[in-house]
């Protein structure tokens, strides 16, 4: 009634009244929307600040454990060229990996295997918002050999650890592709987040003359894993692999000795030559202290994989996450197999190229080879401080 009196007194028509009402409603609507946006924006800012605070706390925790590890290990850390970025996520960050292992364990599923799973996923976007951007780094740790000693088994077993990320195939950077440069090499590495170790395995590194110096130039603090097994069994395994690719291959005994008799061992034949471990090790020791090398028994890796993987985790400063629970012995295969891995969630063994049946070798040939290797094995025990007790 008051409105109609007021309208009447102002002499407004009902059309004008309608226009005034529409204007009023529009004003109220815009004012409400504006306030709602303002509130949403304030709450987003507060949320981001809280995320940032969490991230800073995490980084401070990592930094303090890293400083502690540095005090303890007193490891020298220097690197050349563009390897700097790698070393910042390198072995010293391994030390921080234990403290952040629960975080990385959760995050690991997000960053598994390459770009496809890294980009786009909602969880990854969350990581990015929190500054945990996965990136590729040069390796902190290398499995450098020895060919046919169990290097694939070692890699598959240790990469069960959520803080270890490994290149899938052998990259052969230091022996075949060195001219392509470290950028190329880094591009072949998997994505990692802070606290994760980057690993690569190329067994020919151990026996290639130029490699120790090249690895040293990449990062003097690189940790080196070396699997070794009885050089006679290793030679037979090496021969078996070569024979599987070449139908008309001569018999092992014909290739391992000069002139067909068992008196002179052919030390130029690859499968024999590689087993003189001491010779190659001496060269590595010109660049790296023994404390940066870990020797893994290929025999024990078969008999008791959890034990050897325990040693590897300790050496890398990792929490012992991979244990007996991860392995079972497959009687048909005759080797330890995995209940699950990064790639498969069901029990499985290594591929059929691992754990092949070896051909029968004349016992006298084997005995002669053992005799040949004995002084070199003793030298190797002396250099490593480990008696592998090969026959
Ligand atoms: P054989 O196939 O001659 O038996 P690499 O991975 O360095 O090429 O070494 C291969 C060797 O790893 C195999 O040689 C096998 O003896 C050994 N090995 C160790 N653990 C194994 C496992 N769990 N499954 C299969 N092979 C394994």
């Amino acid at each position: 009634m008051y409105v109609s009196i007021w309208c009447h007194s102002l002499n407004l028509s009902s059309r004008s009244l309608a226009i005034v009402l529409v204007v009023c409603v529009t004003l109220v609507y815009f004012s409400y929307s504006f306030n709602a946006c303002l509130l949403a924006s304030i709450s987003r800012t507060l949320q981001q600040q809280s995320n940032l605070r969490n991230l800073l706390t995490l980084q401070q925790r990592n930094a303090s454990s890293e400083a502690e590890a540095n005090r303890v290990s007193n490891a020298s850390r220097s690197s050349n060229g563009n390897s700097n970025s790698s070393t910042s996520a390198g072995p010293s960050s391994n030390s921080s990996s234990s403290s952040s292992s629960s975080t990385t364990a959760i995050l690991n599923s997000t960053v598994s295997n390459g770009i496809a799973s890294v980009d786009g996923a909602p969880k990854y976007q969350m990581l990015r918002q929190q500054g945990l951007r996965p990136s590729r780094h040069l390796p902190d740790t290398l499995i450098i050999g020895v060919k046919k000693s169990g290097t694939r088994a070692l890699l598959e077993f240790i990469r069960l650890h959520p803080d270890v990320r490994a290149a899938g195939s052998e990259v052969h950077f230091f022996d075949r592709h060195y001219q392509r440069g470290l950028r190329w090499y880094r591009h072949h590495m998997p994505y990692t987040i802070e606290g994760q170790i980057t690993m690569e395995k190329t067994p020919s590194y151990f026996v290639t003359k130029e490699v120790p110096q090249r690895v040293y130039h990449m990062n003097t603090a690189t940790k080196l894993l070396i699997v070794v097994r009885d050089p006679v069994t290793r030679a037979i395994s090496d021969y078996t692999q070569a024979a599987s690719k070449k139908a008309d291959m001569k018999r092992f005994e014909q290739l391992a000795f000069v002139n067909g008799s068992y008196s002179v061992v052919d030390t130029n034949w690859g499968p024999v030559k590689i087993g003189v471990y001491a010779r190659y090790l001496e060269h590595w020791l010109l660049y790296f202290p023994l404390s940066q090398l870990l020797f893994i028994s290929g025999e024990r890796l078969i008999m008791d994989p959890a034990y050897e993987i325990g040693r590897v985790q300790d050496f890398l400063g990792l929490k012992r996450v991979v244990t007996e629970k991860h392995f079972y012995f497959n009687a048909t295969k005759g080797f330890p197999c995995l209940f699950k891995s990064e790639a498969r969630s069901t029990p499985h063994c290594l591929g059929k190229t691992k754990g092949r049946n070896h051909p029968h070798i004349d016992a006298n040939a084997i005995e002669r080879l053992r005799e040949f290797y004995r002084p070199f094995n003793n030298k190797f025990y002396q250099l490593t401080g480990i008696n592998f007790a090969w026959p």
Side-chain angles (χ1 to χ4, degrees):
M1 195 184 75
Y2 289 118
V3 173
S4 81
I5 293 166
W6 178 65
C7 288
H8 188 72
S9 66
L10 286 176
N11 223 2
L12 288 178
S13 70
S14 56
R15 192 155 165 264
S16 307
L17 179 65
I19 291 171
V20 169
L21 274 174
V22 167
V23 169
C24 286
V25 168
T26 311
L27 277 175
V28 168
Y29 173 76
F30 276 119
S31 137
Y32 172 79
S33 305
F34 174 77
N35 285 331
C37 280
L38 196 65
L39 280 173
S41 150
I42 289 170
S43 101
R44 231 190 343 261
T45 310
L46 286 173
Q47 178 65 37
Q48 275 170 358
Q49 278 180 354
S50 136
N51 286 346
L52 199 63
R53 246 196 319 276
N54 289 343
L55 180 63
L56 285 174
T57 315
L58 182 68
Q59 282 176 342
Q60 274 164 2
R61 231 181 288 143
N62 286 347
S64 61
S65 63
E66 189 171 326
E68 178 63 21
N70 282 343
R71 261 201 305 283
V72 175
S73 68
N74 196 23
S76 75
R77 294 194 37 76
S78 63
S79 63
N80 296 331
N82 64 355
S83 66
N84 284 338
S85 62
S86 119
T87 54
S88 67
S92 73
S93 68
N94 300 345
S95 317
S96 68
S97 63
S98 308
S99 66
S100 65
S101 69
S102 57
T103 318
T104 51
I106 297 163
L107 302 178
N108 196 40
S109 59
T110 313
V111 293
S112 70
N113 276 339
I115 310 168
S117 59
V118 173
D119 287 332
K123 270 196 222 166
Y124 174 60
Q125 283 166 8
M126 193 189 83
L127 290 182
R128 254 202 311 231
Q129 275 171 6
Q130 299 194 0
L132 293 169
R133 192 187 167 90
S135 52
R136 299 180 198 267
H137 294 270
L138 291 170
D140 321 295
T141 303
L142 294 173
I143 298 176
I144 56 173
V146 175
K147 184 186 177 193
K148 303 317 293 175
S149 295
T151 55
R152 174 54 60 181
L154 173 65
L155 184 70
E156 294 308 314
F157 296 170
I158 193 60
R159 73 195 299 189
L160 291 171
H161 199 292
D163 288 345
V164 174
R165 307 276 301 129
S169 55
E170 295 171 9
V171 181
H172 283 278
F173 171 67
F174 293 106
D175 58 341
R176 291 187 200 157
H177 301 293
Y178 193 62
Q179 308 315 324
R180 295 177 187 249
L182 289 169
R183 266 173 73 96
W184 179 91
Y185 190 32
R186 184 163 49 210
H187 188 72
H188 283 75
M189 292 301 123
Y191 278 93
T192 49
I193 56 167
E194 194 184 340
Q196 286 185 317
I197 292 173
T198 302
M199 196 178 282
E200 192 246 327
K201 139 178 134 80
T202 299
S204 49
Y205 288 164
F206 184 66
V207 297
T208 308
K209 201 162 156 259
E210 300 77 21
V211 174
Q213 188 185 35
R214 289 173 176 179
V215 175
Y216 180 85
H217 281 151
M218 175 188 74
N219 180 2
T220 58
T222 307
K223 292 190 177 183
L224 306 168
L225 304 178
I226 304 144
V227 198
V228 282
R229 82 195 290 194
D230 168 18
V232 178
T233 323
R234 199 218 67 82
I236 297 169
S237 172
D238 206 347
Y239 165 81
T240 308
Q241 174 167 276
S244 74
K245 295 175 187 165
K246 193 167 181 275
D248 56 346
M249 190 103 168
K250 286 183 182 172
R251 285 180 52 79
F252 177 88
E253 294 86 336
Q254 291 174 286
L255 296 164
F257 300 95
V258 178
N259 296 333
S261 79
Y262 295 160
S263 54
V264 185
V265 173
D266 188 348
T267 52
N268 287 321
W269 187 46
V272 166
K273 197 171 163 184
I274 292 173
V276 185
Y277 304 141
R279 196 171 103 196
Y280 302 106
L281 178 60
E282 276 178 334
H283 195 51
W284 280 91
L285 291 175
L286 294 176
Y287 295 90
F288 293 93
L290 204 54
S291 58
Q292 263 170 254
L293 277 60
L294 184 74
F295 298 91
I296 295 114
S297 156
E299 286 83 10
R300 211 183 209 146
L301 195 62
I302 296 170
M303 302 298 293
D304 190 355
Y307 177 86
E308 286 300 308
I309 294 301
R311 291 180 61 234
V312 175
Q313 290 171 103
D314 292 348
F315 177 71
L316 298 178
L318 295 168
K319 211 170 133 183
R320 283 195 174 211
V321 171
V322 185
T323 62
E324 311 75 42
K325 288 189 302 222
H326 290 86
F327 304 101
Y328 71 96
F329 186 80
N330 183 311
T332 315
K333 174 100 178 166
F335 285 92
C337 298
L338 299 172
F339 281 114
K340 61 176 183 167
S341 66
E342 198 178 44
R344 285 160 67 183
S345 58
T346 48
H348 60 279
C349 302
L350 298 192
K352 57 178 186 294
T353 60
K354 305 294 174 186
R356 290 184 174 103
N357 289 326
H358 293 176
H360 173 77
I361 308 293
D362 187 333
N364 292 324
I366 290 186
E367 192 41 49
R368 175 69 190 99
L369 281 175
R370 295 211 184 293
E371 204 177 280
F372 164 78
Y373 279 122
R374 210 155 284 137
F376 299 113
N377 288 347
N378 288 333
K379 176 81 180 164
F380 186 67
Y381 302 162
Q382 192 194 325
L383 288 172
T384 58
I386 304 171
N387 184 347
F388 288 91
W390 292 317

